[in-house]
Amino acid sequence: MLGLFLLINPEEKEGYGLYYSRKRLMDDLPEEKTAIWSCTNEKCNGWMRDNFVLSAQPICVQCNSLMEKGEKMLSVLENANHKQSKQ
């Protein structure tokens, strides 16, 4: 799907231009229930996708608290480097 954008030249306040972008709009990205790890510290909102975790029990990179497994509706995203084993 093409997106339509309006360009305004700051030097020419009266000049307008239109262009099309081939970038997909965020609404078009498919979503699915994704396994994640969430921080257990109630003051922290840190989380990460399970397929980006490198250890069996990850630690929050924001506050160093333990994380717990859960699920979240997220855009589909593949991790090409996920072949590493979790230790």
Side-chain angles (χ1 to χ4, degrees), residues 21-37:
S21 172
R22 290 202 176 269
K23 290 184 179 179
R24 295 182 71 181
L25 301 175
M26 293 301 285
D27 296 340
D28 293 343
L29 296 175
E31 289 189 343
E32 67 182 7
K33 222 177 233 189
T34 307
I36 64 161
W37 288 88

Side-chain angles (χ1 to χ4, degrees), residues 1 20 54 65:
M1 181 172 177
Y20 290 92
L54 297 176
S65 297

Side-chain angles (χ1 to χ4, degrees), residues 41-74:
N41 182 346
E42 62 185 47
K43 295 180 181 178
C44 181
N45 61 355
W47 63 272
M48 65 180 81
R49 292 173 186 256
D50 182 56
N51 64 343
F52 284 86
V53 172
L54 297 176
S55 64
Q57 178 60 57
I59 303 295
C60 179
V61 296
Q62 295 179 20
C63 70
N64 294 323
S65 297
L66 292 175
M67 300 186 89
E68 62 186 3
K69 203 162 190 165
E71 289 184 334
K72 192 175 202 173
M73 285 298 290
L74 298 171

